[in-house]
Amino acid sequence: MRKKDKTNKFYLAAKLIVLWLLGGYVPFAAQTINRAGISPGTFPGSSGRTPSYPMGGTAEQVKELARKQALQQMNYHPPVIPPSDPRLLSQAITTEHYNQQQELAALLQKVRSAESSRRVSFSYYKSAEFAAKTQPYTDALLHLKEQLAGKRRLSVSDAYFYIEYAHGNTYLSKKEYDRLLKESTGFIKEWLSQNGYSLKDNEALHLGIQKFLSDTLTIKSPLVETNRVAEKKITHFPFFYDYDDFAGEKDYRNYFVTKCLATGSGQCNSLPALYNAFAQQLGAKSYLSFVPLHSLVKYPDKNGKIHNYEATSNWKISDKWYQDNMFISTQAKQSKIYLDTLNYRQIVANCALDLAIGYMKKHGIADAEFVNECIETAAPYFPKDNNIYIYFIISEKLAFMLERELYKNNIRDLKEIDRYPQTAMLHRALLENEAIIKKLGWQKQPPGLYNRMMEEHEFKGRKQAEKNINGKEKRHLFIESF
């Protein structure tokens, strides 16, 4: 299905908005879909009809209409403005309270499912056995602290390695990891030099990284033999997006930079992280930035203007696009929970939060001391108190603690939470933290949109499997020829 009609291209682009939300769209994705024989009607929830556009409408009007129709098909409804009528406002508050209770119940159920298989005596968390089991996490946090305190060289790549090493069974040893990083940055420098770019030009350095990740590149290298000087060619093949378990639900390592570098495949967490690891080693100025369920790279040009780069798809996109299409509220942009610029030191600090998340995934909240220490390590480097992931982790921690108290007191009805001082206190703390999250401008993704994201990525994963593309096997992306 390759239609020449421009309106159909706009329609397809609007339908593929969902792929951006977890970084899955690549420039050739539309061609891949077309070769699979998919028409607009085969997308879940699609009518199959080509939308009608106003005759003589401007390009902006056509784009806006396409966006609105895509949102409508994804069951998106704009936030409701509270009514001014006191009676209706009371009803709205009651509804909001009910929704809070439903959300709390769902969160506690999620925590209960995770905790049920690892309920132990609280004293176990002070035991030598548990200390030995969690020592890699303790070591990783110490490494991050020493970097942030200036006792070690500030290194994004090292920060990522050690928090991944704490989880265990990394795709690469530290020696292999360092060698591949050095080989990659050396190749980028040589390609830039051979193509006439200055290694002191920040934009050129970023171009080199972008070409390295997304294109097949070749450089020439001298080869000295016993009786003559010859020349060899070194070719590097591009990275690709790995749709198979992109969320790391089956294997948490699918989030990892070590996995991305070892296999040449990654997703919206690992590819931007690897990009910034390259950038720091090349001496480029670069930033990490977050949007809902996604991360991207930002970098300045020679005039100081900040550019956005999608490491998952080799596209450059404006802040406005992210705001319009990824449901970032004006308040979220103003508070800078999204689309902010995290420098290298802040990236290392944020790794402490990643470490806490990995710890909770493997060991739960335990006695909460380690998770608290991770938060306390990261927080000072975000003086505006606007790292949204700190508040997400606090909510998760409080939910774990509340569930534990509910279990201990055999409370099954949430209406009884306030009967016990400890559960009442934890409940209030959780609600207060959730209020901070909303005040910062965070808002839920529309349910229909999230479901569409999942369906689209699952579809892509099946296509990847059908083509026998394995994103879990170690691959060497460098090939030498003579």
Side-chain angles (χ1 to χ4, degrees), residues 36 54 72 87 168 172 203 228 242 262 277 324 345 443 463:
Q72 185 180 24
R87 182 176 56 84
L172 298 169
E203 288 181 85
R228 68 187 182 95
D242 185 7
D324 290 345
R345 189 168 296 278
Q443 57 188 10
K463 287 299 171 187

Side-chain angles (χ1 to χ4, degrees), residues 347-360:
I347 293 172
V348 172
N350 195 74
C351 281
L353 303 178
D354 290 336
L355 186 66
I357 292 168
Y359 179 94
M360 288 192 292

Side-chain angles (χ1 to χ4, degrees), residues 352-370:
L353 303 178
D354 290 336
L355 186 66
I357 292 168
Y359 179 94
M360 288 192 292
K361 190 173 184 67
K362 200 165 188 177
H363 301 292
I365 198 69
D367 58 5
E369 287 186 8
F370 182 81

Side-chain angles (χ1 to χ4, degrees), residues 127-241:
S127 69
E129 180 185 348
F130 187 72
K133 190 180 290 187
T134 56
Q135 189 63 44
Y137 288 92
T138 304
D139 293 343
L141 184 58
L142 177 61
H143 180 95
L144 298 178
K145 286 181 173 182
E146 289 178 345
Q147 278 202 40
L148 293 169
K151 296 178 180 178
R152 288 180 181 269
R153 176 177 59 92
L154 189 73
S155 169
V156 167
S157 59
D158 280 358
Y160 283 125
F161 180 83
Y162 285 109
I163 66 170
E164 294 174 8
Y165 185 78
H167 180 80
N169 197 25
T170 52
Y171 273 75
L172 298 169
S173 67
K174 185 63 165 64
K175 184 177 180 180
E176 291 171 322
Y177 180 71
D178 287 342
R179 179 184 58 77
L180 274 174
L181 285 171
K182 185 177 180 180
E183 187 176 11
S184 299
T185 52
F187 183 98
I188 293 169
K189 286 180 181 178
E190 192 60 35
W191 182 85
L192 286 169
S193 296
Q194 290 183 16
N195 285 276
Y197 293 100
S198 169
L199 298 182
K200 296 181 179 179
D201 183 337
N202 197 60
E203 288 181 85
L205 293 173
H206 281 277
L207 174 67
I209 300 170
Q210 291 163 16
K211 299 288 281 185
F212 182 79
L213 290 174
S214 62
D215 288 351
T216 299
L217 303 180
T218 299
I219 60 173
K220 296 176 182 178
S221 179
L223 177 65
V224 180
E225 296 183 347
T226 52
N227 56 354
R228 68 187 182 95
V229 177
E231 191 176 69
K232 67 178 177 180
K233 292 180 179 179
I234 303 174
T235 298
H236 181 270
F237 294 97
F239 286 71
F240 66 91
Y241 191 96

Side-chain angles (χ1 to χ4, degrees), residues 358-459:
Y359 179 94
M360 288 192 292
K361 190 173 184 67
K362 200 165 188 177
H363 301 292
I365 198 69
D367 58 5
E369 287 186 8
F370 182 81
V371 174
N372 286 338
E373 194 175 354
C374 288
I375 293 171
E376 289 164 6
T377 299
Y381 298 92
F382 301 92
K384 294 180 181 178
D385 296 330
N386 63 345
N387 187 315
I388 193 67
Y389 297 100
I390 288 177
Y391 298 101
F392 288 162
I393 292 170
I394 291 172
S395 276
E396 189 88 357
K397 179 191 76 169
L398 290 170
F400 267 100
M401 295 170 71
L402 178 56
E403 192 281 333
R404 194 175 282 166
E405 288 297 316
L406 293 174
Y407 180 82
K408 185 172 76 174
N409 292 289
N410 197 28
I411 299 174
R412 298 184 179 277
D413 188 343
L414 292 182
K415 294 176 183 177
E416 297 181 11
I417 281 181
D418 292 333
R419 283 181 55 193
Y420 298 86
Q422 186 68 10
T423 55
M425 181 191 71
L426 289 169
H427 184 215
R428 281 196 304 273
L430 180 56
L431 292 179
E432 287 169 5
N433 190 68
E434 288 294 308
I436 293 172
I437 290 172
K438 289 183 180 178
K439 187 177 180 181
L440 286 169
W442 179 84
Q443 57 188 10
K444 265 188 174 182
Q445 293 288 315
L449 178 60
Y450 183 79
N451 292 339
R452 183 65 59 85
M453 284 193 290
M454 296 302 101
E455 290 167 357
E456 199 62 58
H457 276 68
E458 286 170 7
F459 166 77

Side-chain angles (χ1 to χ4, degrees), residues 253-265:
R253 296 177 303 163
N254 288 325
Y255 265 96
F256 289 178
V257 178
T258 44
K259 182 266 181 190
C260 183
L261 190 59
T263 65
S265 67

